[in-house]
Amino acid sequence: GNSVTQMEGPVTLSEEAFLTINCTYTATGYPSLFWYVQYPGEGLQLLLKATKADDKGSNKGFEATYRKETTSFHLEKGSVQVSDSAVYFCALSDRGTNAGKSTFGDGTTLTVKP
Amino acid sequence: SAVISQKPSRDICQRGTSLTIQCQVDSQVTMMFWYRQQPGQSLTLIATANQGSEATYESGFVIDKFPISRPNLTFSTLTVSNMSPEDSSIYLCSVTNRAAYEQYFGPGTRLTVT
């Protein structure tokens, strides 16, 4: 079956530091890959996505590249802000019989200190 | 994108009782999903709710415990039956964008069982 493995947290950074959150996946087909963000007390929001190999998703200064050869989708940001403090979930969605269902990683809690 | 609302936003219930959670979407969608997010953990898919047919449950979840209704293409309910403290979680409704399989989530229902 499908699975997503995320870098364990929590992660604590100072403002303007570089962020990487690792994500690797296992899937039988060619999934779409996503990063979702959950701010304190809120629901999940889509942060960025990539639907095929070598695609780069980007949003709000965050980027992630779909690497089929390493089955990875690492999240990066060059300079984090306090407002980026949240839980980040890597996820994949299949295109086959499970189309529409998503498999989520365990989430990584990011805290950015001023 | 889709705008999803859930009711109630939170509730505190006594063990042995049942709670019905409502999910309303602002557009017609084929598939709706119910997830559970236990404290500090990732999302676990409970079931897929399709209009006009019975819900499809994931391993570990059964209809007697989590009955689901899907009377039309914009609405669904999830009932948590005969609750125990282990059912304390956030319950999330979501729908999918079939083009890229990204998901849109409701704000969640925070359930505490005492």
Side-chain angles (χ1 to χ4, degrees), chain A residues 36 38 49 93 101-102 105, chain B residues 37 42 58 100-103:
Chain A
Y36 291 89
Q38 187 174 34
K49 66 184 180 188
S93 183
K101 297 181 184 179
S102 292
Chain B
Q37 185 180 20
S42 187
E58 299 298 307
Y101 303 96
E102 67 201 58
Q103 291 194 275

Side-chain angles (χ1 to χ4, degrees), chain A residues 24-98:
Chain A
T24 58
Y25 68 90
T26 302
T28 52
Y30 297 94
S32 294
L33 301 175
F34 308 91
W35 277 99
Y36 291 89
V37 59
Q38 187 174 34
Y39 296 104
E42 298 185 15
L44 270 76
Q45 304 172 27
L46 178 67
L47 179 60
L48 53 84
K49 66 184 180 188
T51 59
K52 60 183 188 299
D54 299 325
D55 266 4
K56 178 186 282 188
S58 61
N59 186 25
K60 298 181 180 181
F62 290 89
E63 293 183 341
T65 301
Y66 190 143
R67 301 285 187 201
K68 187 168 179 291
E69 63 277 11
T70 55
T71 62
S72 65
F73 193 56
H74 305 321
L75 182 68
E76 296 182 337
K77 186 174 185 183
S79 177
V80 294
Q81 305 300 312
V82 172
S83 58
D84 294 327
S85 297
V87 183
Y88 293 82
F89 292 93
C90 184
L92 68 82
S93 183
D94 215 337
R95 298 177 186 271
T97 55
N98 292 319

